[in-house]
Amino acid sequence: MKTNYLIVGSGLSALVFGSLMAKSGKKVQILEAHEHPGGFGHTFTMAKKYKFNAQLHYVWDCGEGQTVNRVLKKLEIDKQVTFERYEPDGFDHMRMPSYSLNIPSESQELIRRLSHLFPQNSPQIRKFILEVNKISQGLKILSPPIIPSELFKYLAEVSSAVMYLNSTLQDVFNKFKLPQEAQTLLALQWPDFLLPPDQLSFYAWVILFTSYQKGAFYPTQHFEYVINSLVKVIEENDGEVHLNLEVTDFIVTNKTITGVKATNRTNHQNYEFTGENIICNIDPQKAAQMIGIENFSSKILKKLKYEYSPSNYMAYCVVKDIDLRDYGFGKWNTFHTGHRDLNEAFYQMYDRHDFSNPSFAITTPTLMTNHHRDCPEGCQIIEFLTVANYDYFQNLQQTNKKAYRQKKAEILNSILDVVEKTYIPDFRKYLVFTITGSPTTNERFCWCPKGNSYGSNLTPQNMGISRLNYETSLKNFYFCNASSGYPGFAPTFWTGAILYQKLSGDVILSKA
């Protein structure tokens, strides 16, 4: 049987697209260069007993009738692939000097908590939060497919949203004259974007912040089960997922992509694969260079000139003989900063590589679900995330591997010093396993150019109407990637499902 859809890469959007097409009766083949499917969603095992997800920590849009749920229902796996909701009264715990704030799902409660902290600024706080909700509604109306009648029905919301097209989060903070500490508390989940307020698109922040308010989730059986379930749908419907197959070239004939050349990374044998349609899950810029940029239209080439998002540093840790719930951790994430100003915090770490006063996220996946363990009984996993500069770490790794290892250790120790001082005394004595990852680790294991975490950078320039989508200007060739959609768990589900709808005519997602 001829392959209907040859998919290059097995990131989450590709797996969603591939599983939907396979379920509909189409022949699907996926080629993945890594030993695990899932891209940033993949899970790896260390010491034969500890499981860590590469990047995902918590997700949104997984409730009944929302994007992820509707896709899973279409695939008939919604009863198996389920999610646990984070604590609605405080799904993000923000911590900074002299102030703390647990972000609740209810906007009125958020206004109340912030107004309690900053009573003299209560009017501005209320106006800002109400504006955020208004913009969120406007952006929903403006997202594809656009329904003309909805534009008129929600004209005020749409008009307000359009007004912020080129705004950063800092621009809007300044407009509403929020006190510096309130800005920091509201933007402290910046590791979800790896950008400071003065660079981050206001749109990007609004979408994520309000979406998590509607429900922050974690998979009941961890992310590995989600990825494996999508792969299983493909394979049970006569599809194939080939691992350790690196695509080295695209076969181009008269502006048409007919197949790819690939090398088996285990035995080094070369292969050719063909398909009626080629779906590109690898980075669009990288793919365009492999194909030859002269094959693309000027319109697409313009959209391909995005800059990559910053990268990150991760510390994956295991503790024993301690219950993290006794120290303020649970079904929520904790975001810590020692700075009043997150812009300064970002540039200190990213530009000056100074982690002496780190700002970082803390997540505890073991505490998110009781249904499936990611480590042996008596142990718990705790992870730390912060920003890191790819060029700096690549240079260290290439020129001085000892200095590279020392820098990773230095960052970890700075974070652990904060943890012991602020959260868990003598934390180090409970550590039984630690492994760290840098931007070059991302590039090596997740195949992301420059170690980028989110594809194109989430600045206003990259979040507007000229953002790349699935269109490529080549016949039978489509992008399906975070840079041609949006990054994150739910947005990649959306990206894969929207392309499926486009090519199949079967509508499973709408604004209902």
Side-chain angles (χ1 to χ4, degrees):
M1 180 180 176
K2 187 172 184 180
T3 299
N4 301 121
Y5 293 96
L6 178 63
I7 304 173
V8 181
S10 72
L12 195 53
S13 59
L15 291 177
V16 168
F17 174 86
S19 59
L20 287 168
M21 278 298 181
K23 187 73 173 178
S24 74
K26 300 298 183 182
K27 174 64 176 178
V28 170
Q29 275 190 310
I30 295 183
L31 310 180
E32 169 57 53
H34 193 23
E35 62 183 299
H36 302 292
F40 271 126
H42 85 266
T43 295
F44 61 95
T45 302
M46 300 300 298
K48 298 182 179 180
K49 54 186 175 181
Y50 308 129
K51 291 188 175 183
F52 305 100
N53 179 265
Q55 290 285 296
L56 299 177
H57 302 107
Y58 65 158
V59 297
W60 43 273
D61 222 9
C62 298
E64 180 68 27
Q66 294 181 319
T67 298
V68 174
N69 177 256
R70 288 158 77 175
V71 170
L72 296 176
K73 280 186 175 179
K74 182 69 176 181
L75 297 173
E76 298 181 312
I77 56 174
D78 58 300
K79 303 302 182 187
Q80 297 93 342
V81 181
T82 57
F83 297 84
E84 307 296 310
R85 186 168 180 180
Y86 273 49
E87 172 55 53
D89 194 49
F91 57 89
D92 279 344
H93 288 198
M94 311 309 205
R95 302 292 183 260
M96 64 177 291
S98 303
Y99 291 95
S100 65
L101 174 69
N102 297 343
I103 304 292
S105 291
E106 290 293 331
S107 290
Q108 290 300 324
E109 177 60 17
L110 176 60
I111 292 171
R112 189 196 68 77
R113 291 180 185 182
L114 281 168
S115 297
H116 176 75
L117 292 174
F118 310 100
Q120 68 278 24
N121 303 106
S122 182
Q124 304 103 285
I125 289 168
R126 173 173 291 278
K127 288 179 182 178
F128 175 79
I129 299 300
L130 293 179
E131 184 79 341
V132 166
N133 290 335
K134 186 177 181 181
I135 302 308
S136 176
Q137 182 65 37
L139 290 174
K140 182 178 179 181
I141 301 302
L142 288 169
S143 66
I146 294 176
I147 304 170
S149 62
E150 294 284 282
L151 291 176
F152 290 103
K153 183 178 179 181
Y154 296 97
L155 185 59
E157 291 82 354
V158 169
S159 299
S160 293
V162 171
M163 182 174 66
Y164 293 104
L165 176 63
N166 297 313
S167 297
T168 65
L169 176 57
Q170 189 64 57
D171 291 334
V172 187
F173 279 157
N174 294 343
K175 175 183 175 180
F176 285 84
K177 296 182 171 59
L178 294 189
Q180 181 64 63
E181 291 82 359
Q183 295 179 29
T184 298
L185 290 171
L186 284 166
L188 197 46
Q189 85 288 60
W190 70 267
D192 287 339
F193 307 98
L194 297 173
L195 281 181
D198 65 3
Q199 291 189 49
L200 176 64
S201 161
F202 181 56
Y203 283 176
W205 182 83
V206 167
I207 291 169
L208 185 138
F209 190 87
T210 59
S211 295
Y212 276 135
Q213 278 194 300
K214 294 170 187 173
F217 296 91
Y218 187 87
T220 302
Q221 300 186 65
H222 299 283
F223 287 102
E224 182 178 37
Y225 186 75
V226 180
I227 298 299
N228 290 344
S229 296
L230 294 173
V231 170
K232 185 178 179 182
V233 170
I234 294 169
E235 294 178 340
E236 287 183 343
N237 288 275
D238 298 321
E240 300 171 348
V241 179
H242 301 287
L243 303 177
N244 293 305
L245 271 178
E246 179 181 358
V247 170
T248 57
D249 202 3
F250 290 85
I251 302 171
V252 188
T253 306
N254 297 325
K255 302 286 185 178
T256 302
I257 308 293
T258 59
V260 300
K261 296 179 180 179
T263 299
N264 186 303
R265 301 184 72 242
T266 303
N267 59 25
H268 307 294
Q269 292 186 12
N270 298 320
Y271 301 90
E272 285 192 7
F273 295 86
T274 60
E276 294 174 352
N277 299 277
I278 313 299
I279 309 299
C280 182
N281 180 241
I282 65 175
D283 176 69
Q285 279 190 22
K286 181 178 179 180
Q289 292 166 359
M290 294 168 68
I291 292 167
I293 60 173
E294 68 278 2
N295 290 295
F296 293 86
S297 68
S298 57
K299 176 184 176 182
I300 299 300
L301 286 176
K302 186 177 180 180
K303 292 184 176 184
L304 282 167
K305 292 180 179 178
Y306 54 82
E307 60 177 352
Y308 291 117
S309 82
S311 189
N312 64 283
Y313 169 96
M314 278 287 299
Y316 307 92
C317 303
V318 182
V319 293
K320 189 177 180 182
D321 299 327
I322 185 176
D323 190 339
L324 296 170
R325 286 168 291 199
D326 294 337
Y327 296 86
F329 298 95
K331 294 186 101 169
W332 50 81
N333 291 322
T334 301
F335 295 90
H336 174 94
T337 185
H339 293 259
R340 287 182 67 251
D341 185 340
L342 289 180
N343 296 310
E344 171 58 27
F346 178 90
Y347 295 117
Q348 179 178 335
M349 294 185 294
Y350 191 74
D351 290 345
R352 302 194 291 275
H353 324 299
D354 177 0
F355 292 84
S356 59
N357 186 16
S359 297
F360 56 93
I362 310 173
T363 185
T364 51
T366 311
L367 304 184
M368 302 308 169
T369 174
N370 297 320
H371 297 273
H372 191 77
R373 291 199 62 82
D374 51 4
C375 58
E377 289 287 346
C379 296
Q380 293 174 1
I381 287 175
I382 182 169
E383 300 173 354
F384 307 98
L385 167 70
T386 191
V387 73
N389 187 306
Y390 170 80
D391 291 331
Y392 173 77
F393 274 91
Q394 184 200 38
N395 180 64
L396 277 183
Q397 190 179 52
Q398 291 181 347
T399 61
N400 190 334
K401 284 186 169 53
K402 181 179 179 180
Y404 169 80
R405 292 191 296 270
Q406 287 175 337
K407 190 64 180 181
K408 289 204 299 177
E410 172 200 314
I411 297 172
L412 176 62
N413 281 318
S414 291
I415 290 173
L416 296 185
D417 285 345
V418 171
V419 171
E420 291 192 328
K421 179 180 179 181
T422 310
Y423 301 99
I424 308 173
D426 299 319
F427 176 74
R428 286 177 173 88
K429 79 177 185 180
Y430 301 105
L431 278 173
V432 294
F433 181 86
T434 300
I435 187 171
T436 58
S438 79
T440 57
T441 312
N442 283 355
E443 186 172 52
R444 178 184 174 190
F445 289 103
C446 296
W447 295 76
C448 47
K450 293 186 175 295
N452 77 82
S453 295
Y454 295 120
S456 55
N457 210 5
L458 297 176
T459 58
Q461 293 75 18
N462 288 328
M463 289 293 291
I465 56 177
S466 62
R467 186 177 174 86
L468 189 69
N469 58 23
Y470 55 78
E471 297 173 339
T472 69
S473 74
L474 300 178
K475 294 179 182 177
N476 307 333
F477 184 66
Y478 304 89
F479 292 133
C480 186
N481 164 275
S483 295
S484 63
Y486 292 98
F489 185 84
T492 50
F493 260 74
W494 178 271
T495 298
I498 288 295
L499 183 56
Y500 165 77
Q501 291 184 173
K502 169 68 177 177
L503 299 183
S504 69
D506 177 20
V507 177
I508 59 174
L509 296 182
S510 67
K511 295 181 180 180

